[in-house]
Amino acid sequence: MNEVLNCSVVMGRLTADPELKHTQSDLSVTSFTVAVERSYAKQGQERQADFIDVVAWRSTAEFVCKYFRKGQMIVIQGMIQTRNYEDSKGNKRKAVEIVADHVHFGEPKKETEKPQDVAPLPPDAPEDIFCDDDLPF
């Protein structure tokens, strides 16, 4: 059997606003870091976090950049990938990152956030404009 399983799911907070970029062949891509709290803490110490690098491509990258901001909780499902490269000083390095297949919101939208495109109601507007008790079904 030559089956391979490489699946990772992490939930954490974005450490910065994701930024959408495009490759020379016009593929959408974004790279970002997620702070993932460890499930345990040593007695008398605060829980530590691991900082996981993530790469998202195409529509997943566009979704992340459109709907997520620094500090938001995000759930990422993808595969772990390693790659070797040389840094600017010629040192050999290895990068370990998750290539995101799916991303999800990790918390409900905050109630304090209001849509920016909607004008506020005037102060004399009734509080309950619509009541579905009046519907016949």
Side-chain angles (χ1 to χ4, degrees):
M1 257 181 152
N2 283 339
E3 293 184 37
V4 177
L5 179 63
N6 181 352
C7 183
S8 179
V9 178
V10 296
M11 182 169 101
R13 296 198 180 274
L14 287 163
T15 62
D17 288 348
E19 185 179 325
L20 189 64
K21 296 181 180 180
H22 290 87
T23 65
Q24 289 180 347
S25 56
D26 203 35
L27 289 176
S28 300
V29 64
T30 187
S31 298
F32 53 93
T33 302
V34 178
V36 179
E37 284 191 348
R38 294 183 180 172
S39 59
Y40 62 89
K42 292 182 180 178
Q43 192 169 1
Q45 294 183 358
E46 288 187 31
R47 189 180 298 194
Q48 295 197 348
D50 293 299
F51 294 86
I52 311 294
D53 293 328
V54 180
V55 177
W57 293 90
R58 297 178 179 84
S59 61
T60 305
E62 292 167 8
F63 178 77
V64 168
C65 290
K66 184 174 181 178
Y67 294 107
F68 288 91
R69 295 289 169 258
K70 178 181 178 178
Q72 276 186 286
M73 185 72 71
I74 187 171
V75 180
I76 299 153
Q77 177 186 350
M79 65 177 195
I80 295 175
Q81 170 180 284
T82 61
R83 58 185 170 84
N84 296 311
Y85 67 97
E86 274 189 30
D87 66 15
S88 60
K89 296 181 180 177
N91 298 316
K92 291 184 179 184
R93 303 282 184 180
K94 180 185 276 190
V96 178
E97 57 203 4
I98 295 176
V99 179
D101 292 324
H102 303 282
V103 296
H104 306 277
F105 295 98
E107 59 191 349
K109 191 172 185 178
K110 295 179 183 171
E111 291 181 22
T112 57
E113 292 180 12
K114 295 182 181 177
Q116 295 177 4
D117 298 338
V118 179
L121 291 173
D124 60 340
E127 287 184 33
D128 190 11
I129 295 174
F130 178 77
C131 178
D132 55 353
D133 292 343
D134 298 333
L135 296 176
F137 48 89

Coordinates of all heavy atoms in Angstrom, one line a residue, residues 3-83:
E3 N -0.4 4.4 0.3 CA -1.3 5.6 0.8 C -0.5 6.4 1.7 O 0.3 6.0 2.6 CB -2.5 5.1 1.4 CG -3.4 4.3 0.4 CD -4.7 3.9 1.1 OE1 -5.3 4.7 1.9 OE2 -5.2 2.9 0.7
V4 N -0.7 7.7 1.6 CA 0.0 8.7 2.4 C -1.0 9.6 3.1 O -2.0 10.0 2.4 CB 1.0 9.6 1.6 CG1 1.6 10.6 2.4 CG2 2.0 8.7 0.9
L5 N -0.9 9.9 4.3 CA -1.8 10.7 5.0 C -1.0 11.9 5.6 O 0.0 11.8 6.3 CB -2.4 10.0 6.2 CG -3.4 10.8 7.0 CD1 -4.6 11.3 6.2 CD2 -3.9 10.0 8.2
N6 N -1.3 13.1 5.1 CA -0.7 14.3 5.5 C -1.8 15.3 5.7 O -2.2 16.1 4.8 CB 0.3 14.8 4.5 CG 1.0 16.1 4.9 OD1 0.7 16.7 5.9 ND2 2.0 16.5 4.2
C7 N -2.4 15.4 6.9 CA -3.5 16.3 7.2 C -3.3 16.9 8.5 O -2.9 16.3 9.5 CB -4.8 15.5 7.2 SG -6.2 16.5 7.5
S8 N -3.4 18.3 8.5 CA -3.2 19.0 9.7 C -4.4 20.0 9.9 O -4.8 20.6 8.9 CB -1.9 19.8 9.6 OG -1.7 20.6 10.7
V9 N -4.9 20.1 11.1 CA -5.9 21.1 11.4 C -5.4 21.9 12.6 O -5.1 21.3 13.7 CB -7.3 20.4 11.8 CG1 -8.3 21.4 12.1 CG2 -7.7 19.5 10.6
V10 N -5.4 23.2 12.5 CA -5.0 24.1 13.6 C -6.0 25.2 13.7 O -6.7 25.6 12.7 CB -3.6 24.7 13.4 CG1 -2.5 23.6 13.4 CG2 -3.5 25.5 12.1
M11 N -6.1 25.7 14.9 CA -7.0 26.9 15.2 C -6.1 27.8 16.0 O -5.5 27.5 17.0 CB -8.2 26.4 16.0 CG -9.2 27.6 16.3 SD -10.7 27.0 17.0 CE -10.5 27.3 18.7
G12 N -6.1 29.1 15.6 CA -5.3 30.1 16.3 C -5.7 31.5 15.8 O -6.6 31.7 15.0
R13 N -4.9 32.4 16.2 CA -5.2 33.8 15.9 C -4.1 34.3 14.9 O -2.9 34.0 15.1 CB -5.2 34.7 17.2 CG -6.3 34.3 18.1 CD -6.6 35.4 19.1 NE -7.7 34.9 19.9 CZ -9.0 35.1 19.6 NH1 -9.4 35.7 18.5 NH2 -10.0 34.6 20.5
L14 N -4.6 35.1 13.9 CA -3.7 35.7 13.0 C -2.8 36.7 13.7 O -3.2 37.5 14.5 CB -4.4 36.4 11.9 CG -5.1 35.5 10.9 CD1 -6.2 36.3 10.1 CD2 -4.1 34.9 9.9
T15 N -1.5 36.7 13.4 CA -0.5 37.6 14.0 C -0.4 38.9 13.3 O 0.2 39.9 13.8 CB 0.9 36.9 14.1 OG1 1.4 36.7 12.8 CG2 0.8 35.7 14.9
A16 N -1.0 39.0 12.0 CA -0.9 40.2 11.2 C -2.0 40.1 10.2 O -2.5 39.0 9.9 CB 0.4 40.4 10.6
D17 N -2.4 41.2 9.6 CA -3.4 41.2 8.5 C -2.8 40.4 7.3 O -1.6 40.7 6.9 CB -3.7 42.6 8.0 CG -4.6 43.4 9.0 OD1 -5.1 42.8 10.0 OD2 -4.7 44.6 8.8
P18 N -3.5 39.5 6.7 CA -3.0 38.8 5.6 C -2.9 39.7 4.4 O -3.8 40.6 4.2 CB -4.0 37.6 5.3 CG -5.2 38.0 6.0 CD -4.8 39.0 7.1
E19 N -2.0 39.5 3.5 CA -1.8 40.4 2.3 C -1.8 39.5 1.1 O -1.1 38.6 0.9 CB -0.5 41.1 2.4 CG -0.2 42.1 1.4 CD 1.1 42.8 1.6 OE1 1.5 43.0 2.7 OE2 1.8 43.1 0.5
L20 N -2.7 39.9 0.1 CA -2.9 39.1 -1.1 C -1.8 39.5 -2.1 O -1.5 40.7 -2.3 CB -4.2 39.4 -1.7 CG -4.6 38.5 -2.9 CD1 -4.7 37.0 -2.5 CD2 -5.9 38.9 -3.5
K21 N -1.1 38.5 -2.7 CA -0.1 38.7 -3.7 C -0.4 37.9 -4.9 O -1.3 37.0 -4.8 CB 1.3 38.4 -3.1 CG 1.7 39.2 -2.0 CD 3.1 38.9 -1.5 CE 3.5 39.8 -0.3 NZ 4.8 39.5 0.2
H22 N 0.2 38.1 -6.0 CA 0.0 37.3 -7.2 C 1.4 36.9 -7.8 O 2.4 37.6 -7.7 CB -0.7 38.2 -8.3 CG -2.1 38.4 -7.9 ND1 -2.5 39.5 -7.1 CD2 -3.3 37.7 -8.1 CE1 -3.8 39.4 -6.9 NE2 -4.3 38.4 -7.5
T23 N 1.4 35.6 -8.3 CA 2.6 35.1 -8.9 C 2.7 35.7 -10.3 O 1.8 36.4 -10.8 CB 2.6 33.6 -9.0 OG1 1.5 33.2 -9.9 CG2 2.4 32.9 -7.6
Q24 N 3.9 35.4 -10.9 CA 4.1 35.9 -12.3 C 3.0 35.4 -13.3 O 2.6 36.0 -14.2 CB 5.4 35.6 -12.8 CG 6.5 36.4 -12.1 CD 7.9 36.0 -12.6 OE1 8.1 35.0 -13.3 NE2 8.9 36.8 -12.3
S25 N 2.5 34.2 -12.9 CA 1.4 33.6 -13.7 C 0.0 34.0 -13.2 O -1.0 33.3 -13.6 CB 1.5 32.1 -13.8 OG 1.6 31.5 -12.5
D26 N 0.0 35.0 -12.4 CA -1.3 35.6 -11.9 C -2.1 34.7 -10.9 O -3.3 34.8 -10.8 CB -2.2 36.1 -13.0 CG -3.1 37.2 -12.5 OD1 -2.7 38.0 -11.6 OD2 -4.3 37.3 -13.0
L27 N -1.4 33.8 -10.2 CA -2.1 33.0 -9.2 C -2.1 33.8 -7.9 O -1.1 34.4 -7.5 CB -1.4 31.7 -8.9 CG -1.5 30.6 -10.0 CD1 -0.6 29.4 -9.6 CD2 -2.9 30.2 -10.2
S28 N -3.3 33.8 -7.2 CA -3.4 34.5 -5.9 C -2.7 33.7 -4.9 O -2.9 32.4 -4.8 CB -4.9 34.7 -5.6 OG -5.5 35.5 -6.5
V29 N -2.0 34.3 -4.0 CA -1.3 33.6 -2.9 C -1.2 34.6 -1.7 O -1.1 35.8 -1.8 CB 0.1 33.1 -3.3 CG1 1.0 34.2 -3.7 CG2 0.7 32.2 -2.2
T30 N -1.3 34.0 -0.5 CA -1.0 34.7 0.7 C -0.2 33.8 1.7 O -0.5 32.6 1.7 CB -2.2 35.3 1.4 OG1 -1.9 36.2 2.4 CG2 -3.2 34.2 1.9
S31 N 0.7 34.4 2.5 CA 1.4 33.7 3.5 C 1.1 34.5 4.8 O 1.1 35.7 4.8 CB 2.9 33.7 3.3 OG 3.2 33.0 2.1
F32 N 0.8 33.7 5.9 CA 0.5 34.4 7.2 C 0.9 33.4 8.3 O 1.2 32.3 8.1 CB -0.9 34.8 7.3 CG -1.9 33.7 7.0 CD1 -2.4 32.9 8.1 CD2 -2.4 33.4 5.7 CE1 -3.3 31.9 7.8 CE2 -3.3 32.4 5.5 CZ -3.8 31.7 6.5
T33 N 1.0 34.0 9.5 CA 1.3 33.2 10.7 C 0.2 33.2 11.6 O -0.5 34.2 11.8 CB 2.6 33.8 11.3 OG1 3.6 33.8 10.4 CG2 3.0 33.0 12.5
V34 N -0.1 32.0 12.2 CA -1.1 31.8 13.2 C -0.5 31.4 14.5 O 0.3 30.5 14.6 CB -2.1 30.7 12.7 CG1 -3.2 30.4 13.7 CG2 -2.7 31.0 11.4
A35 N -0.9 32.1 15.6 CA -0.5 31.8 16.9 C -1.5 30.8 17.5 O -2.6 31.0 17.7 CB -0.5 33.0 17.8
V36 N -1.0 29.6 17.8 CA -1.8 28.4 18.2 C -1.4 28.1 19.7 O -0.2 27.7 19.9 CB -1.6 27.2 17.3 CG1 -2.4 26.0 17.8 CG2 -1.9 27.5 15.9
E37 N -2.3 28.3 20.6 CA -2.0 28.0 22.0 C -1.8 26.5 22.2 O -2.5 25.7 21.6 CB -3.1 28.5 22.9 CG -3.1 30.0 23.1 CD -4.1 30.4 24.2 OE1 -4.9 29.6 24.7 OE2 -4.0 31.6 24.6
R38 N -0.9 26.2 23.0 CA -0.7 24.8 23.4 C -1.8 24.3 24.3 O -2.4 25.1 25.0 CB 0.7 24.6 24.1 CG 1.8 24.8 23.1 CD 3.2 24.6 23.7 NE 4.2 24.9 22.8 CZ 5.5 24.9 23.0 NH1 5.9 24.6 24.3 NH2 6.4 25.2 22.1
S39 N -2.1 23.0 24.3 CA -3.2 22.5 25.1 C -2.9 22.4 26.6 O -3.7 22.0 27.4 CB -3.7 21.2 24.5 OG -2.6 20.2 24.5
Y40 N -1.7 22.6 27.0 CA -1.3 22.5 28.4 C -0.4 23.7 28.8 O 0.1 24.4 28.0 CB -0.5 21.2 28.5 CG 0.8 21.2 27.7 CD1 2.0 21.7 28.3 CD2 0.8 20.7 26.4 CE1 3.2 21.7 27.5 CE2 2.0 20.7 25.7 CZ 3.2 21.2 26.2 OH 4.3 21.3 25.5
A41 N -0.3 23.9 30.1 CA 0.6 24.9 30.6 C 1.3 24.3 31.8 O 0.7 23.5 32.6 CB -0.2 26.1 31.0
K42 N 2.6 24.5 32.0 CA 3.3 24.1 33.2 C 2.7 24.8 34.4 O 2.3 26.0 34.3 CB 4.8 24.4 33.1 CG 5.5 23.6 32.0 CD 6.9 23.8 32.0 CE 7.6 23.0 30.9 NZ 9.0 23.3 30.8
Q43 N 2.7 24.1 35.5 CA 2.1 24.7 36.7 C 2.8 26.0 37.1 O 4.0 26.1 37.1 CB 2.1 23.7 37.9 CG 1.3 24.1 39.0 CD 1.2 23.0 40.1 OE1 1.7 21.9 39.9 NE2 0.5 23.2 41.1
G44 N 1.9 27.0 37.3 CA 2.5 28.3 37.7 C 2.9 29.2 36.5 O 3.4 30.3 36.7
Q45 N 2.8 28.7 35.3 CA 3.2 29.4 34.1 C 2.0 29.6 33.2 O 1.0 28.9 33.2 CB 4.3 28.7 33.4 CG 5.6 28.6 34.1 CD 6.7 28.0 33.3 OE1 6.5 27.5 32.2 NE2 7.9 27.9 33.9
E46 N 2.1 30.6 32.3 CA 1.0 30.9 31.4 C 1.2 29.9 30.2 O 2.3 29.4 29.9 CB 1.2 32.3 30.8 CG 0.7 33.4 31.8 CD 0.7 34.7 31.1 OE1 0.4 34.8 29.9 OE2 1.0 35.7 31.9
R47 N 0.1 29.6 29.5 CA 0.1 28.7 28.4 C 0.9 29.4 27.3 O 0.7 30.6 27.0 CB -1.4 28.5 27.9 CG -1.5 27.4 26.9 CD -2.9 27.2 26.5 NE -3.7 26.8 27.6 CZ -4.9 26.3 27.5 NH1 -5.5 26.2 26.3 NH2 -5.6 25.9 28.6
Q48 N 1.7 28.6 26.6 CA 2.5 29.1 25.5 C 1.9 28.9 24.2 O 0.9 28.1 24.1 CB 3.9 28.5 25.6 CG 4.7 28.8 26.8 CD 6.2 28.5 26.6 OE1 6.6 27.8 25.7 NE2 7.0 29.0 27.6
A49 N 2.3 29.6 23.2 CA 1.8 29.4 21.8 C 2.9 29.1 20.9 O 4.1 29.4 21.1 CB 1.1 30.7 21.4
D50 N 2.5 28.3 19.8 CA 3.4 28.0 18.7 C 3.0 28.9 17.6 O 1.8 29.2 17.4 CB 3.3 26.6 18.3 CG 3.9 25.7 19.4 OD1 5.1 25.8 19.8 OD2 3.1 24.9 20.0
F51 N 3.9 29.4 16.8 CA 3.6 30.3 15.7 C 3.8 29.5 14.4 O 4.9 29.1 14.0 CB 4.5 31.5 15.7 CG 4.2 32.3 16.9 CD1 4.8 32.1 18.2 CD2 3.2 33.4 16.8 CE1 4.5 32.9 19.3 CE2 2.9 34.1 17.9 CZ 3.5 33.9 19.2
I52 N 2.7 29.2 13.7 CA 2.6 28.3 12.6 C 2.5 29.1 11.3 O 1.6 29.9 11.2 CB 1.4 27.3 12.7 CG1 1.4 26.6 14.0 CG2 1.5 26.3 11.5 CD1 2.5 25.7 14.4
D53 N 3.4 28.9 10.4 CA 3.3 29.5 9.1 C 2.4 28.8 8.2 O 2.3 27.6 8.1 CB 4.7 29.6 8.4 CG 5.7 30.5 9.2 OD1 5.3 31.5 9.8 OD2 6.9 30.2 9.2
V54 N 1.6 29.6 7.4 CA 0.5 29.0 6.5 C 0.6 29.7 5.2 O 0.9 30.9 5.1 CB -0.9 29.3 7.1 CG1 -1.9 28.7 6.2 CG2 -1.0 28.7 8.5
V55 N 0.4 28.9 4.1 CA 0.3 29.4 2.8 C -1.0 29.0 2.2 O -1.5 27.9 2.4 CB 1.4 28.9 1.9 CG1 1.3 29.4 0.4 CG2 2.8 29.2 2.4
A56 N -1.7 30.0 1.6 CA -3.0 29.7 0.9 C -2.9 30.2 -0.5 O -2.3 31.2 -0.8 CB -4.1 30.4 1.7
W57 N -3.5 29.4 -1.4 CA -3.5 29.7 -2.8 C -4.9 29.9 -3.4 O -5.8 29.5 -2.8 CB -2.8 28.5 -3.6 CG -1.4 28.4 -3.3 CD1 -0.8 27.6 -2.3 CD2 -0.3 29.0 -4.0 NE1 0.5 27.7 -2.4 CE2 0.9 28.5 -3.4 CE3 -0.2 29.8 -5.1 CZ2 2.2 28.9 -3.8 CZ3 1.1 30.2 -5.5 CH2 2.2 29.8 -4.9
R58 N -4.9 30.6 -4.5 CA -6.1 30.8 -5.3 C -7.3 31.4 -4.5 O -7.1 32.4 -3.8 CB -6.5 29.5 -6.1 CG -5.4 29.1 -7.0 CD -5.8 27.8 -7.7 NE -4.8 27.3 -8.6 CZ -3.7 26.7 -8.3 NH1 -3.4 26.3 -7.1 NH2 -2.8 26.3 -9.3
S59 N -8.5 30.8 -4.6 CA -9.7 31.3 -4.0 C -9.5 31.3 -2.4 O -10.1 32.1 -1.7 CB -10.9 30.6 -4.4 OG -10.8 29.2 -4.1
T60 N -8.8 30.3 -1.9 CA -8.6 30.3 -0.5 C -7.8 31.5 0.0 O -8.1 32.1 1.0 CB -7.9 29.0 -0.1 OG1 -8.6 27.8 -0.6 CG2 -7.7 28.8 1.4
A61 N -6.8 31.9 -0.7 CA -6.0 33.1 -0.4 C -6.9 34.3 -0.5 O -6.8 35.2 0.4 CB -4.8 33.2 -1.4
E62 N -7.7 34.4 -1.5 CA -8.6 35.6 -1.7 C -9.6 35.6 -0.5 O -9.9 36.7 0.0 CB -9.3 35.5 -3.0 CG -8.3 35.7 -4.2 CD -8.9 35.3 -5.5 OE1 -10.1 35.1 -5.6 OE2 -8.1 35.3 -6.5
F63 N -10.1 34.5 -0.1 CA -11.1 34.4 1.0 C -10.4 34.9 2.3 O -11.0 35.7 3.0 CB -11.6 33.0 1.2 CG -12.6 32.8 2.3 CD1 -13.9 33.2 2.2 CD2 -12.2 32.2 3.5 CE1 -14.8 33.0 3.2 CE2 -13.0 32.0 4.5 CZ -14.4 32.4 4.4
V64 N -9.2 34.4 2.6 CA -8.5 34.8 3.8 C -8.3 36.3 3.8 O -8.6 37.0 4.8 CB -7.2 34.0 4.0 CG1 -6.4 34.6 5.1 CG2 -7.5 32.5 4.2
C65 N -7.8 36.8 2.7 CA -7.5 38.3 2.7 C -8.7 39.2 2.8 O -8.6 40.3 3.3 CB -6.6 38.6 1.4 SG -5.0 37.8 1.5
K66 N -9.8 38.7 2.3 CA -11.0 39.5 2.3 C -11.7 39.5 3.6 O -12.2 40.5 4.1 CB -12.0 38.9 1.2 CG -13.3 39.7 1.1 CD -14.1 39.2 -0.1 CE -15.4 40.1 -0.2 NZ -16.2 39.6 -1.4
Y67 N -11.7 38.4 4.3 CA -12.5 38.2 5.5 C -11.8 38.2 6.9 O -12.4 38.2 7.9 CB -13.5 37.0 5.4 CG -14.5 37.2 4.3 CD1 -14.4 36.5 3.1 CD2 -15.5 38.1 4.5 CE1 -15.3 36.6 2.1 CE2 -16.5 38.2 3.5 CZ -16.3 37.5 2.3 OH -17.3 37.7 1.3
F68 N -10.5 38.0 6.9 CA -9.7 37.9 8.1 C -8.8 39.0 8.4 O -8.2 39.6 7.4 CB -9.0 36.5 8.1 CG -9.9 35.3 8.3 CD1 -10.4 34.7 7.1 CD2 -10.2 34.9 9.5 CE1 -11.2 33.6 7.2 CE2 -11.0 33.8 9.6 CZ -11.5 33.1 8.5
R69 N -8.6 39.4 9.6 CA -7.7 40.4 10.1 C -6.9 40.0 11.3 O -7.2 39.0 11.9 CB -8.5 41.7 10.5 CG -9.3 42.3 9.3 CD -8.3 43.0 8.4 NE -9.0 43.4 7.1 CZ -8.9 42.8 6.0 NH1 -8.2 41.7 5.9 NH2 -9.5 43.2 4.9
K70 N -5.9 40.7 11.6 CA -5.0 40.4 12.7 C -5.8 40.2 14.0 O -6.8 41.0 14.3 CB -4.0 41.6 13.0 CG -3.2 41.4 14.2 CD -2.2 42.6 14.3 CE -1.4 42.4 15.6 NZ -0.5 43.5 15.7
G71 N -5.5 39.2 14.7 CA -6.2 38.9 16.0 C -7.4 38.0 15.9 O -7.9 37.4 16.9
Q72 N -7.9 37.8 14.7 CA -9.1 36.9 14.5 C -8.7 35.5 14.6 O -7.6 35.0 14.2 CB -9.8 37.2 13.1 CG -10.7 38.3 13.1 CD -11.4 38.4 11.8 OE1 -10.8 38.8 10.8 NE2 -12.7 38.0 11.8
M73 N -9.7 34.7 15.2 CA -9.5 33.2 15.3 C -9.8 32.6 13.9 O -10.8 32.9 13.3 CB -10.4 32.7 16.3 CG -10.2 31.2 16.6 SD -8.7 30.8 17.5 CE -9.1 31.5 19.1
I74 N -8.9 31.8 13.5 CA -9.1 31.1 12.2 C -8.8 29.6 12.4 O -8.0 29.2 13.2 CB -8.1 31.7 11.1 CG1 -8.4 31.2 9.7 CG2 -6.7 31.5 11.5 CD1 -7.7 31.9 8.6
V75 N -9.6 28.8 11.6 CA -9.3 27.3 11.6 C -8.8 27.0 10.2 O -9.4 27.3 9.2 CB -10.6 26.6 11.9 CG1 -10.4 25.1 11.9 CG2 -11.2 27.0 13.3
I76 N -7.7 26.3 10.2 CA -7.1 25.9 8.9 C -6.9 24.4 8.8 O -6.5 23.7 9.8 CB -5.7 26.5 8.9 CG1 -5.8 28.1 8.9 CG2 -4.9 26.1 7.6 CD1 -4.6 28.7 9.5
Q77 N -7.3 23.9 7.7 CA -7.2 22.5 7.4 C -6.3 22.4 6.1 O -6.5 23.1 5.1 CB -8.5 21.8 7.1 CG -8.4 20.4 6.7 CD -9.7 19.8 6.3 OE1 -10.7 20.4 6.5 NE2 -9.7 18.6 5.7
G78 N -5.2 21.6 6.2 CA -4.3 21.5 5.1 C -3.3 20.5 5.3 O -3.5 19.6 6.1
M79 N -2.2 20.6 4.5 CA -1.1 19.6 4.7 C 0.2 20.3 5.0 O 0.4 21.5 4.7 CB -1.0 18.8 3.4 CG -0.5 19.6 2.2 SD -0.3 18.5 0.8 CE 0.7 19.6 -0.2
I80 N 1.0 19.6 5.8 CA 2.3 20.1 6.1 C 3.3 19.9 5.0 O 3.3 18.9 4.3 CB 2.8 19.4 7.4 CG1 1.9 19.8 8.6 CG2 4.3 19.9 7.7 CD1 2.3 19.1 9.9
Q81 N 4.0 21.0 4.7 CA 5.0 21.0 3.6 C 6.3 21.5 4.1 O 6.3 22.5 4.9 CB 4.4 21.9 2.5 CG 5.4 22.1 1.4 CD 4.8 23.0 0.3 OE1 3.9 22.6 -0.5 NE2 5.1 24.3 0.3
T82 N 7.4 20.9 3.7 CA 8.7 21.4 4.0 C 9.4 21.8 2.7 O 9.1 21.2 1.7 CB 9.6 20.4 4.8 OG1 9.8 19.3 3.9 CG2 8.9 20.0 6.1
R83 N 10.2 22.8 2.8 CA 11.0 23.2 1.6 C 12.4 23.8 2.1 O 12.5 24.3 3.2 CB 10.3 24.2 0.8 CG 9.9 25.5 1.4 CD 9.0 26.4 0.5 NE 8.5 27.5 1.3 CZ 9.1 28.6 1.6 NH1 10.3 28.8 1.2 NH2 8.5 29.5 2.3

